[in-house]
Amino acid sequence: MAKMNFGGVIENVVTREEFPLSKALETLKGETIAVIGYGVQGPGQALNLKDNGFNVIVGQRKNSKTWDKAIADGWVPGETLFEIEEACQKGTIIQYLLSDAAQIKMWDTVKKHLTAGKTLYFSHGFGITYKERTGIIPPADVDVIMIAPKGSGTSLRRLFLEGRGLNSSYAVFQDASGKAMDKVIALGIGIGSGYLFETDFKREVYSDLTGERGTLMGAIQGIFAAQYQVLRENGHTPSEAFNETIEELTQSLMPLVAENGMDWMYANCSTTAQRGALDWWKPFRDATLPVFKKLYSEVASGNEAQRSIDSNSKPDYREKLDAELKDLRESEMWQTGATVRSLRPERQK
């Protein structure tokens, strides 16, 4: 574990150089990793672990789309693919990667297989942090750990196949064995993390829920929609409005920001763009800061968690979700986006 300076703040980080894959494999020698759930995070983590040489099985509900997806990905029923309860029984490390709502629903089934000495693994702090609401309270004689990749399972897998890595946070909630820290680092390396940075379950879920609702998805969609609307109301075509709002950002600027930082971007754009960006970023900050403060307060109070639990547990949840996603997908902005993407050079080869 190394000490790294992040803007003047010292944090604990772990890299693949100081904790190589060979050490991770030795640490988890003899363990059976049962990946429970094959939806968002399950496929990327399970496949990366398998490709890295770990003993991995998958637990998923039979005769579901995700069961069929697991088979298509090479998992073999009765050998490496099992019903959830059987996988929990076989696993010594249970990676609990179902959705938050499904974790609540399946907890009693999973808990009875958490016998002494096993390890319970999460990729999100939700179930543990809001345990009074979720009912997820692990037995005292198991390790409880977390690796939270900072991106989608699809990105985790794609970067792994490119020989790169997606950064992840790590945390130990309960160390019954005295070896939980080594286990969590080994699993973080095993799933293909870039570097690992330390957190705890509460900080992870607070930052994650804020980020999802903020700059990662909620806020960015809101900003996209507002700028697109203003441009369209002032006579700009859908193509022009989309390109100036989204396409230039995602295809040209964000990759450069990822490589070099926003400070570099400000220093390497036209003087006109530079002046405008410097003049306008603070008004945007000041306009959105109260929203972010309210958002964080709602997360910290548990109100956001309760809204998610209540909404996701309703029998008509999927139907209402599909309707909301349909409205988003069929909006002029994202219909224009589909056309713009089809016109990218790589799509025309």
Side-chain angles (χ1 to χ4, degrees), residues 158-211:
R158 180 184 298 131
L159 290 172
F160 176 86
L161 293 174
E162 292 174 358
R164 300 160 63 197
L166 191 66
N167 298 333
S168 302
S169 60
Y170 69 92
V172 173
F173 177 76
Q174 187 167 283
D175 185 5
S177 69
K179 301 176 181 177
M181 185 60 74
D182 282 347
K183 288 181 189 178
V184 74
I185 298 301
L187 286 161
I189 298 299
I191 68 166
S193 300
Y195 78 85
L196 299 160
F197 61 95
E198 191 173 23
T199 188
D200 59 41
F201 276 60
K202 181 183 287 187
R203 293 200 336 251
E204 190 282 331
V205 76
Y206 283 13
S207 61
D208 190 75
L209 293 184
T210 300

Short mmCIF file of all heavy atoms in Angstrom, two decimals, residues 158-211:
data_model
loop_
_atom_site.label_atom_id
_atom_site.label_comp_id
_atom_site.label_asym_id
_atom_site.label_seq_id
_atom_site.Cartn_x
_atom_site.Cartn_y
_atom_site.Cartn_z
N ARG A 158 -14.21 -4.11 -21.08
CA ARG A 158 -13.58 -3.57 -22.29
C ARG A 158 -12.14 -3.13 -22.00
O ARG A 158 -11.22 -3.44 -22.76
CB ARG A 158 -14.39 -2.38 -22.82
CG ARG A 158 -13.79 -1.75 -24.09
CD ARG A 158 -14.56 -0.52 -24.52
NE ARG A 158 -15.93 -0.84 -24.86
CZ ARG A 158 -16.98 -0.17 -24.41
NH1 ARG A 158 -16.80 0.84 -23.57
NH2 ARG A 158 -18.19 -0.50 -24.78
N LEU A 159 -11.95 -2.42 -20.90
CA LEU A 159 -10.60 -1.96 -20.56
C LEU A 159 -9.68 -3.13 -20.23
O LEU A 159 -8.48 -3.11 -20.55
CB LEU A 159 -10.66 -0.98 -19.39
CG LEU A 159 -11.29 0.38 -19.71
CD1 LEU A 159 -11.47 1.19 -18.43
CD2 LEU A 159 -10.46 1.15 -20.71
N PHE A 160 -10.22 -4.17 -19.61
CA PHE A 160 -9.43 -5.37 -19.31
C PHE A 160 -8.94 -6.01 -20.61
O PHE A 160 -7.76 -6.37 -20.73
CB PHE A 160 -10.29 -6.36 -18.52
CG PHE A 160 -9.61 -7.67 -18.24
CD1 PHE A 160 -8.79 -7.83 -17.13
CD2 PHE A 160 -9.80 -8.77 -19.07
CE1 PHE A 160 -8.17 -9.03 -16.85
CE2 PHE A 160 -9.19 -9.99 -18.81
CZ PHE A 160 -8.36 -10.12 -17.69
N LEU A 161 -9.82 -6.13 -21.57
CA LEU A 161 -9.45 -6.75 -22.85
C LEU A 161 -8.45 -5.89 -23.63
O LEU A 161 -7.70 -6.41 -24.46
CB LEU A 161 -10.71 -7.00 -23.69
CG LEU A 161 -11.67 -8.05 -23.14
CD1 LEU A 161 -12.95 -8.11 -23.97
CD2 LEU A 161 -11.00 -9.43 -23.08
N GLU A 162 -8.44 -4.59 -23.33
CA GLU A 162 -7.47 -3.69 -23.98
C GLU A 162 -6.16 -3.65 -23.22
O GLU A 162 -5.24 -2.93 -23.62
CB GLU A 162 -8.06 -2.28 -24.05
CG GLU A 162 -9.25 -2.15 -25.00
CD GLU A 162 -9.90 -0.77 -24.94
OE1 GLU A 162 -9.43 0.08 -24.12
OE2 GLU A 162 -10.86 -0.54 -25.68
N GLY A 163 -6.05 -4.42 -22.13
CA GLY A 163 -4.84 -4.42 -21.33
C GLY A 163 -4.72 -3.23 -20.41
O GLY A 163 -3.63 -2.95 -19.88
N ARG A 164 -5.84 -2.56 -20.17
CA ARG A 164 -5.85 -1.40 -19.29
C ARG A 164 -6.61 -1.76 -18.01
O ARG A 164 -6.70 -2.94 -17.67
CB ARG A 164 -6.48 -0.22 -20.01
CG ARG A 164 -5.72 0.17 -21.29
CD ARG A 164 -6.58 0.98 -22.24
NE ARG A 164 -6.99 2.25 -21.66
CZ ARG A 164 -7.99 3.00 -22.13
NH1 ARG A 164 -8.69 2.58 -23.17
NH2 ARG A 164 -8.28 4.15 -21.57
N GLY A 165 -7.13 -0.79 -17.30
CA GLY A 165 -7.86 -1.09 -16.07
C GLY A 165 -8.74 0.07 -15.67
O GLY A 165 -8.47 1.23 -15.99
N LEU A 166 -9.82 -0.26 -14.97
CA LEU A 166 -10.75 0.74 -14.44
C LEU A 166 -10.46 0.91 -12.95
O LEU A 166 -10.40 -0.07 -12.21
CB LEU A 166 -12.19 0.23 -14.64
CG LEU A 166 -13.34 1.20 -14.42
CD1 LEU A 166 -13.31 2.31 -15.45
CD2 LEU A 166 -14.67 0.44 -14.50
N ASN A 167 -10.24 2.13 -12.51
CA ASN A 167 -9.92 2.37 -11.10
C ASN A 167 -11.08 1.92 -10.21
O ASN A 167 -12.25 2.02 -10.59
CB ASN A 167 -9.62 3.84 -10.85
CG ASN A 167 -8.41 4.32 -11.62
OD1 ASN A 167 -7.52 3.53 -11.92
ND2 ASN A 167 -8.36 5.60 -11.94
N SER A 168 -10.75 1.43 -9.03
CA SER A 168 -11.77 0.94 -8.09
C SER A 168 -11.44 1.42 -6.68
O SER A 168 -10.27 1.61 -6.33
CB SER A 168 -11.81 -0.60 -8.08
OG SER A 168 -12.07 -1.12 -9.36
N SER A 169 -12.49 1.58 -5.88
CA SER A 169 -12.27 1.82 -4.45
C SER A 169 -12.38 0.48 -3.71
O SER A 169 -12.97 -0.47 -4.21
CB SER A 169 -13.29 2.82 -3.90
OG SER A 169 -14.61 2.35 -4.08
N TYR A 170 -11.77 0.42 -2.52
CA TYR A 170 -11.83 -0.80 -1.73
C TYR A 170 -12.14 -0.44 -0.28
O TYR A 170 -11.81 0.65 0.19
CB TYR A 170 -10.52 -1.60 -1.82
CG TYR A 170 -9.34 -0.96 -1.13
CD1 TYR A 170 -9.01 -1.25 0.19
CD2 TYR A 170 -8.52 -0.05 -1.81
CE1 TYR A 170 -7.92 -0.66 0.82
CE2 TYR A 170 -7.42 0.55 -1.20
CZ TYR A 170 -7.13 0.23 0.11
OH TYR A 170 -6.05 0.82 0.74
N ALA A 171 -12.79 -1.38 0.43
CA ALA A 171 -13.13 -1.15 1.83
C ALA A 171 -13.30 -2.49 2.54
O ALA A 171 -13.69 -3.49 1.92
CB ALA A 171 -14.41 -0.34 1.95
N VAL A 172 -13.01 -2.48 3.82
CA VAL A 172 -13.27 -3.63 4.69
C VAL A 172 -14.28 -3.17 5.74
O VAL A 172 -14.01 -2.23 6.49
CB VAL A 172 -11.98 -4.13 5.37
CG1 VAL A 172 -12.31 -5.21 6.40
CG2 VAL A 172 -11.00 -4.67 4.33
N PHE A 173 -15.42 -3.81 5.78
CA PHE A 173 -16.44 -3.49 6.77
C PHE A 173 -16.32 -4.38 8.00
O PHE A 173 -16.54 -3.94 9.13
CB PHE A 173 -17.84 -3.67 6.16
CG PHE A 173 -18.97 -3.42 7.11
CD1 PHE A 173 -19.32 -2.13 7.47
CD2 PHE A 173 -19.69 -4.48 7.67
CE1 PHE A 173 -20.37 -1.89 8.35
CE2 PHE A 173 -20.73 -4.26 8.55
CZ PHE A 173 -21.08 -2.96 8.90
N GLN A 174 -15.94 -5.64 7.78
CA GLN A 174 -15.84 -6.60 8.88
C GLN A 174 -14.70 -7.57 8.60
O GLN A 174 -14.68 -8.22 7.55
CB GLN A 174 -17.17 -7.35 9.00
CG GLN A 174 -17.30 -8.27 10.19
CD GLN A 174 -18.75 -8.71 10.38
OE1 GLN A 174 -19.57 -7.94 10.89
NE2 GLN A 174 -19.06 -9.92 9.97
N ASP A 175 -13.75 -7.66 9.52
CA ASP A 175 -12.58 -8.52 9.34
C ASP A 175 -12.61 -9.63 10.39
O ASP A 175 -11.98 -9.55 11.44
CB ASP A 175 -11.29 -7.70 9.47
CG ASP A 175 -10.03 -8.50 9.17
OD1 ASP A 175 -10.17 -9.68 8.77
OD2 ASP A 175 -8.93 -7.96 9.33
N ALA A 176 -13.35 -10.69 10.09
CA ALA A 176 -13.48 -11.80 11.03
C ALA A 176 -12.27 -12.73 10.99
O ALA A 176 -11.92 -13.34 11.99
CB ALA A 176 -14.75 -12.59 10.73
N SER A 177 -11.63 -12.81 9.83
CA SER A 177 -10.53 -13.76 9.63
C SER A 177 -9.16 -13.17 9.96
O SER A 177 -8.19 -13.91 10.14
CB SER A 177 -10.51 -14.25 8.18
OG SER A 177 -10.14 -13.18 7.31
N GLY A 178 -9.08 -11.84 10.00
CA GLY A 178 -7.78 -11.19 10.12
C GLY A 178 -7.06 -11.07 8.80
O GLY A 178 -5.95 -10.53 8.73
N LYS A 179 -7.69 -11.56 7.72
CA LYS A 179 -7.07 -11.55 6.39
C LYS A 179 -7.92 -10.81 5.36
O LYS A 179 -7.68 -10.90 4.17
CB LYS A 179 -6.84 -12.99 5.91
CG LYS A 179 -5.95 -13.81 6.83
CD LYS A 179 -5.85 -15.24 6.34
CE LYS A 179 -4.97 -16.09 7.27
NZ LYS A 179 -4.92 -17.50 6.83
N ALA A 180 -8.91 -10.05 5.82
CA ALA A 180 -9.85 -9.41 4.91
C ALA A 180 -9.18 -8.40 3.99
O ALA A 180 -9.54 -8.28 2.82
CB ALA A 180 -10.97 -8.74 5.70
N MET A 181 -8.17 -7.68 4.52
CA MET A 181 -7.52 -6.68 3.69
C MET A 181 -6.78 -7.32 2.52
O MET A 181 -6.88 -6.84 1.38
CB MET A 181 -6.56 -5.84 4.54
CG MET A 181 -5.91 -4.69 3.77
SD MET A 181 -7.12 -3.49 3.12
CE MET A 181 -7.60 -2.65 4.63
N ASP A 182 -6.06 -8.40 2.77
CA ASP A 182 -5.38 -9.09 1.67
C ASP A 182 -6.39 -9.62 0.66
O ASP A 182 -6.16 -9.57 -0.56
CB ASP A 182 -4.53 -10.23 2.21
CG ASP A 182 -3.22 -9.75 2.82
OD1 ASP A 182 -2.86 -8.58 2.60
OD2 ASP A 182 -2.56 -10.54 3.52
N LYS A 183 -7.51 -10.14 1.14
CA LYS A 183 -8.54 -10.67 0.23
C LYS A 183 -9.10 -9.58 -0.66
O LYS A 183 -9.27 -9.78 -1.87
CB LYS A 183 -9.68 -11.31 1.04
CG LYS A 183 -9.35 -12.63 1.71
CD LYS A 183 -10.60 -13.13 2.45
CE LYS A 183 -10.31 -14.32 3.31
NZ LYS A 183 -11.51 -14.76 4.07
N VAL A 184 -9.43 -8.44 -0.07
CA VAL A 184 -10.07 -7.40 -0.86
C VAL A 184 -9.12 -6.83 -1.91
O VAL A 184 -9.51 -6.58 -3.05
CB VAL A 184 -10.67 -6.28 0.04
CG1 VAL A 184 -9.60 -5.37 0.63
CG2 VAL A 184 -11.69 -5.45 -0.73
N ILE A 185 -7.85 -6.67 -1.55
CA ILE A 185 -6.88 -6.17 -2.53
C ILE A 185 -6.69 -7.20 -3.65
O ILE A 185 -6.65 -6.85 -4.84
CB ILE A 185 -5.53 -5.86 -1.86
CG1 ILE A 185 -5.70 -4.76 -0.81
CG2 ILE A 185 -4.50 -5.46 -2.90
CD1 ILE A 185 -6.23 -3.45 -1.33
N ALA A 186 -6.60 -8.49 -3.28
CA ALA A 186 -6.43 -9.54 -4.28
C ALA A 186 -7.61 -9.56 -5.25
O ALA A 186 -7.43 -9.72 -6.47
CB ALA A 186 -6.28 -10.89 -3.59
N LEU A 187 -8.82 -9.39 -4.73
CA LEU A 187 -9.99 -9.38 -5.60
C LEU A 187 -10.03 -8.13 -6.48
O LEU A 187 -10.43 -8.18 -7.65
CB LEU A 187 -11.26 -9.48 -4.76
CG LEU A 187 -11.51 -10.88 -4.18
CD1 LEU A 187 -12.47 -10.82 -3.00
CD2 LEU A 187 -12.05 -11.82 -5.26
N GLY A 188 -9.59 -6.99 -5.93
CA GLY A 188 -9.51 -5.78 -6.73
C GLY A 188 -8.55 -5.93 -7.90
O GLY A 188 -8.84 -5.50 -9.03
N ILE A 189 -7.41 -6.57 -7.65
CA ILE A 189 -6.46 -6.85 -8.72
C ILE A 189 -7.06 -7.87 -9.69
O ILE A 189 -6.95 -7.74 -10.91
CB ILE A 189 -5.13 -7.36 -8.14
CG1 ILE A 189 -4.48 -6.31 -7.24
CG2 ILE A 189 -4.18 -7.81 -9.25
CD1 ILE A 189 -4.11 -5.01 -7.93
N GLY A 190 -7.73 -8.87 -9.13
CA GLY A 190 -8.29 -9.94 -9.94
C GLY A 190 -9.34 -9.50 -10.93
O GLY A 190 -9.41 -10.03 -12.04
N ILE A 191 -10.17 -8.53 -10.56
CA ILE A 191 -11.21 -8.08 -11.49
C ILE A 191 -10.67 -7.12 -12.54
O ILE A 191 -11.40 -6.70 -13.44
CB ILE A 191 -12.40 -7.44 -10.76
CG1 ILE A 191 -12.01 -6.10 -10.12
CG2 ILE A 191 -13.02 -8.40 -9.77
CD1 ILE A 191 -13.20 -5.27 -9.67
N GLY A 192 -9.37 -6.76 -12.42
CA GLY A 192 -8.76 -5.91 -13.45
C GLY A 192 -8.76 -4.44 -13.15
O GLY A 192 -8.79 -3.61 -14.07
N SER A 193 -8.70 -4.07 -11.86
CA SER A 193 -8.68 -2.64 -11.51
C SER A 193 -7.39 -1.98 -12.00
O SER A 193 -6.34 -2.62 -12.09
CB SER A 193 -8.79 -2.47 -9.99
OG SER A 193 -9.98 -3.03 -9.50
N GLY A 194 -7.48 -0.68 -12.31
CA GLY A 194 -6.30 0.09 -12.66
C GLY A 194 -5.47 0.31 -11.40
O GLY A 194 -4.45 -0.31 -11.18
N TYR A 195 -5.94 1.21 -10.54
CA TYR A 195 -5.38 1.30 -9.19
C TYR A 195 -6.54 1.27 -8.21
O TYR A 195 -7.69 1.53 -8.57
CB TYR A 195 -4.49 2.54 -9.01
CG TYR A 195 -5.20 3.86 -8.81
CD1 TYR A 195 -5.63 4.26 -7.54
CD2 TYR A 195 -5.42 4.73 -9.87
CE1 TYR A 195 -6.27 5.47 -7.35
CE2 TYR A 195 -6.06 5.95 -9.69
CZ TYR A 195 -6.49 6.31 -8.42
OH TYR A 195 -7.13 7.51 -8.23
N LEU A 196 -6.24 0.95 -6.96
CA LEU A 196 -7.25 0.84 -5.91
C LEU A 196 -7.05 1.96 -4.90
O LEU A 196 -5.93 2.21 -4.47
CB LEU A 196 -7.12 -0.51 -5.20
CG LEU A 196 -7.33 -1.75 -6.07
CD1 LEU A 196 -6.72 -2.98 -5.42
CD2 LEU A 196 -8.82 -1.98 -6.31
N PHE A 197 -8.14 2.62 -4.51
CA PHE A 197 -8.04 3.65 -3.48
C PHE A 197 -8.99 3.34 -2.35
O PHE A 197 -10.06 2.79 -2.55
CB PHE A 197 -8.28 5.05 -4.05
CG PHE A 197 -9.65 5.27 -4.67
CD1 PHE A 197 -10.68 5.82 -3.92
CD2 PHE A 197 -9.88 4.94 -6.00
CE1 PHE A 197 -11.93 6.04 -4.48
CE2 PHE A 197 -11.13 5.15 -6.57
CZ PHE A 197 -12.15 5.70 -5.82
N GLU A 198 -8.57 3.70 -1.14
CA GLU A 198 -9.28 3.30 0.07
C GLU A 198 -10.51 4.16 0.33
O GLU A 198 -10.51 5.37 0.10
CB GLU A 198 -8.33 3.39 1.27
CG GLU A 198 -8.87 2.75 2.53
CD GLU A 198 -7.83 2.71 3.64
OE1 GLU A 198 -6.89 3.52 3.61
OE2 GLU A 198 -7.98 1.86 4.54
N THR A 199 -11.56 3.51 0.81
CA THR A 199 -12.77 4.21 1.22
C THR A 199 -13.42 3.40 2.35
O THR A 199 -12.80 2.50 2.92
CB THR A 199 -13.74 4.39 0.02
OG1 THR A 199 -14.81 5.24 0.41
CG2 THR A 199 -14.29 3.06 -0.46
N ASP A 200 -14.66 3.73 2.70
CA ASP A 200 -15.45 2.86 3.55
C ASP A 200 -16.84 2.75 2.91
O ASP A 200 -17.14 3.44 1.93
CB ASP A 200 -15.51 3.36 5.00
CG ASP A 200 -16.11 4.74 5.15
OD1 ASP A 200 -17.11 5.05 4.46
OD2 ASP A 200 -15.59 5.54 5.94
N PHE A 201 -17.68 1.86 3.43
CA PHE A 201 -18.96 1.58 2.79
C PHE A 201 -19.84 2.84 2.72
O PHE A 201 -20.50 3.10 1.71
CB PHE A 201 -19.68 0.46 3.53
CG PHE A 201 -19.26 -0.92 3.13
CD1 PHE A 201 -17.95 -1.34 3.26
CD2 PHE A 201 -20.18 -1.81 2.59
CE1 PHE A 201 -17.56 -2.62 2.89
CE2 PHE A 201 -19.81 -3.10 2.21
CZ PHE A 201 -18.48 -3.50 2.36
N LYS A 202 -19.85 3.63 3.79
CA LYS A 202 -20.70 4.82 3.81
C LYS A 202 -20.22 5.86 2.81
O LYS A 202 -21.01 6.40 2.04
CB LYS A 202 -20.73 5.43 5.22
CG LYS A 202 -21.62 6.66 5.32
CD LYS A 202 -21.58 7.28 6.70
CE LYS A 202 -22.33 6.45 7.70
NZ LYS A 202 -22.43 7.13 9.02
N ARG A 203 -18.91 6.14 2.79
CA ARG A 203 -18.40 7.14 1.85
C ARG A 203 -18.62 6.70 0.41
O ARG A 203 -18.93 7.52 -0.46
CB ARG A 203 -16.90 7.40 2.11
CG ARG A 203 -16.62 8.06 3.44
CD ARG A 203 -15.27 8.75 3.54
NE ARG A 203 -14.25 8.28 2.64
CZ ARG A 203 -13.17 7.57 3.01
NH1 ARG A 203 -13.03 7.21 4.28
NH2 ARG A 203 -12.25 7.25 2.15
N GLU A 204 -18.46 5.41 0.17
CA GLU A 204 -18.66 4.91 -1.20
C GLU A 204 -20.08 5.14 -1.67
O GLU A 204 -20.31 5.64 -2.77
CB GLU A 204 -18.32 3.42 -1.28
CG GLU A 204 -18.27 2.87 -2.71
CD GLU A 204 -19.62 2.58 -3.35
OE1 GLU A 204 -20.59 2.26 -2.61
OE2 GLU A 204 -19.74 2.69 -4.59
N VAL A 205 -21.06 4.78 -0.85
CA VAL A 205 -22.44 4.90 -1.32
C VAL A 205 -22.87 6.36 -1.38
O VAL A 205 -23.61 6.75 -2.30
CB VAL A 205 -23.40 4.06 -0.45
CG1 VAL A 205 -23.67 4.70 0.90
CG2 VAL A 205 -24.70 3.80 -1.19
N TYR A 206 -22.39 7.19 -0.46
CA TYR A 206 -22.74 8.61 -0.53
C TYR A 206 -22.19 9.24 -1.80
O TYR A 206 -22.88 9.99 -2.50
CB TYR A 206 -22.19 9.35 0.69
CG TYR A 206 -22.97 9.16 1.98
CD1 TYR A 206 -23.93 8.16 2.10
CD2 TYR A 206 -22.73 9.97 3.08
CE1 TYR A 206 -24.62 7.98 3.29
CE2 TYR A 206 -23.42 9.80 4.27
CZ TYR A 206 -24.36 8.80 4.38
OH TYR A 206 -25.05 8.62 5.56
N SER A 207 -20.92 8.96 -2.11
CA SER A 207 -20.32 9.55 -3.32
C SER A 207 -20.93 8.95 -4.58
O SER A 207 -21.15 9.65 -5.57
CB SER A 207 -18.79 9.37 -3.31
OG SER A 207 -18.44 8.00 -3.29
N ASP A 208 -21.22 7.65 -4.54
CA ASP A 208 -21.76 6.97 -5.71
C ASP A 208 -23.16 7.46 -6.06
O ASP A 208 -23.45 7.79 -7.22
CB ASP A 208 -21.77 5.46 -5.46
CG ASP A 208 -22.10 4.67 -6.73
OD1 ASP A 208 -21.22 4.57 -7.59
OD2 ASP A 208 -23.24 4.17 -6.84
N LEU A 209 -24.04 7.53 -5.06
CA LEU A 209 -25.39 8.00 -5.33
C LEU A 209 -25.40 9.46 -5.76
O LEU A 209 -26.16 9.85 -6.65
CB LEU A 209 -26.27 7.82 -4.09
CG LEU A 209 -26.58 6.38 -3.66
CD1 LEU A 209 -27.55 6.37 -2.48
CD2 LEU A 209 -27.15 5.57 -4.81
N THR A 210 -24.53 10.26 -5.16
CA THR A 210 -24.43 11.66 -5.57
C THR A 210 -23.92 11.75 -7.00
O THR A 210 -24.46 12.51 -7.82
CB THR A 210 -23.49 12.44 -4.63
OG1 THR A 210 -24.01 12.39 -3.29
CG2 THR A 210 -23.37 13.90 -5.07
N GLY A 211 -22.90 10.97 -7.33
CA GLY A 211 -22.33 11.00 -8.68
C GLY A 211 -23.31 10.55 -9.73
O GLY A 211 -23.43 11.17 -10.80
#
